[in-house]
Each structure stands twice: as structure tokens, then as C-alpha cells.
Amino acid sequence: MTNIGHEQAHDEGPHHRGNDHQHTHPEQDAPAAASPEARHVHGVAATHGRGALRVVAISSLVLAVVAAAELSAAALSGSAAVLADGLHNLGDVFTTVALAAAFILSKRAPNRRFPYGYHRGEDLAGLLVLALIVASAVASGVTSIEHLLHRQPLVNAGLALAVAGVGFIGNEAVAQYKISAGRRLHSVALVADGRHSRLDGFASLGAAVGVLGAMLGAPILDPVAGLVITVIIAGVAWETGRTVTARLLDEADASLVATVESIASTTPGVLGVSDARARWTGRQVRAELTIAVAPDSQLRDAHALGEEVRHRLYHEIDPLAEVIIHLDPAGDPAAHAAVSHHVV
């Protein structure tokens, strides 16, 4: 019985299918570890890091322009709704700065204090985004109630309406961009921030409805729309909270674990698979599993089989960054007798 829990030797990051990496296989059917000439060239994680930072930078620029336009329009029109939305969008610029810091932090190399690296920083950033969504719900509710109690006439209402519309379009564009990129890069924090931007778009749309209502002689539409948006924000905050906290608590991804088990069990020479686990750390996946091998296998052969399983897993699971494989002699119930009383 041998434990071959290797840390991934490819410091550049997750193993992806496609043209992002190259392979040299002198013997295509040989186990991956059996041929010392077999080598891999990776550059995906660096590309993903640059991609995430590019998404954050472009989103921040768009939101900064939207916020500046809304604050200017609010000063010219006296619209409290547009002013609140402008301040909120300005706050989102600082939110994206927090995401950028998390992406930069995740690129730091592991060390003795943080041997698994800093990828959890992105999940912590997701918590920050969640807190800002909740704060948005509170601010939206308080502002709406205040507008119900104290209504003021608007000037330059047409300008306020147009800029609120621009706010909706800008936020929705940023939301789609962030969510799409976040799913592609496997970043829960970026997806959460994209949902936040979508909520901000609804807030801008609510501001537009309020301004339009005031223009048509029904100023009460402003605070009513704000209260409806508050309920929507609270609902998305709940869903986002479930997603982010699940990641932090290492929630099992059933389909991912099933894929790990399927790939390992279909590898020639593997007699059984058990204790398969997988968890996300930021945009990376780390997996562990136990495989049963023939009890009379030599160490070299057993090790080569374990490396072949790892090799196949890296090929088939895009964000996989590390695989730890434990080898058991098949059909030997006493293999773990020495430590069985320590296992809960």
C-alpha cells in the first residue's frame, strides 16, 4: 500500500483541454509517468488571471462613467433616486477593486504558511460582494421609504430619465460581461459581482420609472418601484449567499465527483475506486481519491498506474489543479488495520 499524493508539478495552473497546452507522447498508450520524455506545457492559469483582471478593469471603467453621468444629472435635476443610484454605482467601482485585489492575491505562489496558495481570496471577495448586495437592499429600502414620506418636485426630469436609462443599459452590459467571464473562468466571486451589477441595473430602471412617474404626475411610483427592487435584491442576495458560503464550506459537487470516479474506474488496471472527493478553491479544483490495484503489483507499476489516472483526470477536468491518489491493494481487508481505530 503506497500513498502517492503528489502536488501538481505544473506551477502554471489548471490543466485544460484544447489548444491551450501541448503534449509530447513518444508512446501514446504508455502510462503517463512511465515515459520520462512525456512533458506538458501549460499557460492557462496565467491567461485566466489576466482575463479576470481585464474583466474587472473594463467593468470598473464602464461603471465609473455611468456613476459620473448619474451624479451630474442628479445635481442638475434634483432627483434623489438618480443621486442614490449614482452613488451606488460609484460604490461598485470600489467593489471591483476588491475583486481585482483578490485576483492578484490568488496569483501568489504557495509558501510554507499558505501551502495551498491564496486562491481562497476570491471566495472571500465573494463574501464582500454579498455584503454589498445586502447593503444595497438596505439602502434601497430606506431610500424608498424616505421618498414615500417626503416627495420633492424635479427639474430637468428628461435629463434624469435619460441618464437613468443609460444606467440600466450600462449595468446590464457589465452584468452579462462579468457573469459570462466568471463562468468561463470558474470564478464564483466574479459571477456574484455580475449578479450585483444586474441588480444595479434594476435599481437604475427603478429610478427611471420613478422619474417618469413624477413627470406624469404620479411621484409615488418612485418609492413603490424602489420597494419592489428591494425585494428583488433581497432574493438574489439569498441565492448568492448560498452559493458563496457553499464554496467556503467545501460543498461537494456531485457531478464533478462522479466524473472523477468514472474516469478513474475506466482506467485499465484500476480494480476499484473509493473515497473520491473534490472541492473548489477560487477558480481551481483539488481532488482526492483511492484506487485499488492488484495486490501483487510492483511499486513502479502501481505508481505508474496512479500517474495514468492523474493524467486522464487533468485532461478531462478543465479547472483541475491538483490530484492526490491513494493506492490500496485490492481485496486486502487488513490494509488499513493499523489506523482503522483513528478513523471516525
Side-chain angles (χ1 to χ4, degrees):
M1 179 175 61
T2 306
N3 190 6
I4 60 166
H6 296 287
E7 184 172 1
Q8 184 186 7
H10 313 299
D11 293 336
E12 291 82 357
H15 201 101
H16 283 246
R17 292 172 290 182
N19 296 326
D20 291 322
H21 60 285
Q22 302 169 353
H23 304 271
T24 301
H25 296 292
E27 298 181 20
Q28 189 65 32
D29 297 329
S35 173
E37 293 86 1
R39 58 185 296 270
H40 299 260
V41 179
H42 304 274
V44 179
T47 301
H48 277 194
R50 290 192 297 269
L53 290 175
R54 182 169 58 250
V55 170
V56 168
I58 293 175
S59 300
S60 297
L61 179 61
V62 173
L63 291 177
V65 171
V66 169
E70 288 188 318
L71 292 175
S72 299
L76 295 173
S77 66
S79 171
V82 175
L83 175 62
D85 195 45
L87 290 173
H88 185 62
N89 283 319
L90 184 62
D92 289 343
V93 175
F94 295 104
T95 301
T96 54
V97 171
L99 275 178
F103 288 139
I104 294 172
L105 179 65
S106 69
K107 294 171 63 177
R108 295 186 61 183
N111 51 49
R112 293 184 67 86
R113 184 177 180 186
F114 296 97
Y116 293 98
Y118 296 82
H119 300 283
R120 285 291 193 190
E122 295 184 32
D123 298 326
L124 291 176
L127 280 180
L128 175 60
V129 172
L130 172 61
L132 289 170
I133 294 177
V134 174
S136 298
V138 173
S140 177
V142 171
T143 302
S144 299
I145 293 173
E146 184 180 353
H147 284 183
L148 275 173
L149 300 176
H150 307 286
R151 301 171 195 165
Q152 299 179 358
L154 299 180
V155 296
N156 296 320
L159 174 63
L161 179 62
V163 172
V166 170
F168 170 72
I169 295 173
N171 274 290
E172 179 60 23
V174 166
Q176 292 189 21
Y177 183 44
K178 285 181 179 178
I179 292 173
S180 175
R183 288 172 177 167
R184 185 180 71 253
L185 301 175
H186 306 288
S187 172
V188 67
L190 196 54
V191 171
D193 199 44
R195 291 173 178 167
H196 186 193
S197 294
R198 175 156 289 163
L199 292 176
D200 294 342
F202 284 115
S204 297
L205 188 60
V209 171
V211 172
L212 182 60
M215 293 173 65
L216 298 176
I220 195 173
L221 288 178
D222 181 11
V224 169
L227 289 175
V228 172
I229 294 170
T230 299
V231 174
I232 296 174
I233 293 174
V236 176
W238 171 258
E239 291 300 324
T240 302
R242 290 178 58 188
T243 301
V244 173
T245 54
R247 279 288 184 90
L248 289 172
L249 293 174
D250 290 337
E251 180 185 42
D253 186 332
S255 62
L256 181 59
V257 173
T259 300
V260 170
E261 292 175 332
S262 176
I263 295 171
S265 63
T266 56
T267 302
V270 174
L271 303 181
V273 178
S274 60
D275 300 326
R277 291 178 287 178
R279 63 189 176 97
W280 288 88
T281 56
R283 287 167 286 148
Q284 295 186 347
V285 170
R286 299 180 184 275
E288 303 173 27
L289 69 155
T290 297
I291 63 174
V293 301
D296 57 351
S297 297
Q298 294 187 359
L299 177 61
R300 179 188 300 273
D301 296 333
H303 179 272
L305 178 58
E307 288 295 278
E308 174 64 10
V309 173
R310 295 177 75 234
H311 187 212
R312 294 185 178 210
L313 289 171
Y314 283 132
H315 270 282
E316 296 299 325
I317 301 176
D318 288 350
L320 190 60
E322 181 182 22
V323 187
I324 297 176
I325 296 180
H326 181 82
L327 302 179
D328 272 357
D332 185 357
H336 296 283
V339 296
S340 60
H341 62 286
H342 292 287
V343 180
V344 179

